[in-house]
Amino acid sequence: MTTTVTTTRTASSSIAALVGAGVAATAAACAATVAVAAAGSAAGVSLDVSGGPIPVTGFAVLTAVFSLVGVGMAALMARFARSPRRTFVRTTVVLTVLSLVPDVIAAAAPGTKALLMLTHLVAAAIVIPAVARRLAA
């Protein structure tokens, strides 16, 4: 006599996996943006915007806040969107492009603007794919 056991992932376990992957990606993105900012500063790129310096740790804080907002969006999309992965990727790509606008118009040197934009792109390149992999196609 044989017994077959079928297991299915529940919505709560997949959301937990999504959040876990998102938090891990957020931590990696924070470390990466701090590294980019520190390397830029060490290379002589000013971190001054509108006459005041951005602390290197500020890159980690803002990366964490907005990445975790993205993870929350992904959790909502996993629950309510018809195609969560496609919806998440499209939404976050648009938001990433929009996040570059303040950098372009900031009162800062061109090198500073480029460094700020690079940190946005680095964070997005880490978080978006890591979270998207956990969403249903």
Side-chain angles (χ1 to χ4, degrees):
M1 174 181 208
T2 57
T3 304
T4 304
V5 177
T6 305
T7 59
T8 59
R9 289 187 352 179
T10 63
S12 62
S13 68
S14 63
I15 294 296
L18 170 71
V19 171
V23 169
T26 296
C30 289
T33 57
V34 166
V36 168
S41 181
V45 177
S46 170
L47 297 180
D48 290 350
V49 176
S50 299
I54 300 173
V56 172
T57 56
F59 288 87
V61 171
L62 289 176
T63 299
V65 168
F66 289 105
S67 294
L68 292 174
V69 167
V71 172
M73 287 174 24
L76 289 171
M77 290 173 188
R79 175 80 172 99
F80 298 109
R82 185 170 296 158
S83 302
R85 183 181 300 160
R86 185 177 69 215
T87 304
F88 176 76
V89 170
R90 287 181 177 178
T91 301
T92 53
V93 167
V94 168
L95 291 173
T96 301
V97 170
L98 290 174
S99 78
L100 301 177
V101 172
D103 298 338
V104 171
I105 63 174
T112 303
K113 292 178 181 188
L115 181 66
L116 292 172
M117 288 188 281
L118 178 62
T119 60
H120 289 229
L121 297 175
V122 165
I126 294 169
V127 175
I128 294 171
V131 173
R133 278 192 293 273
R134 295 290 182 163
L135 292 168

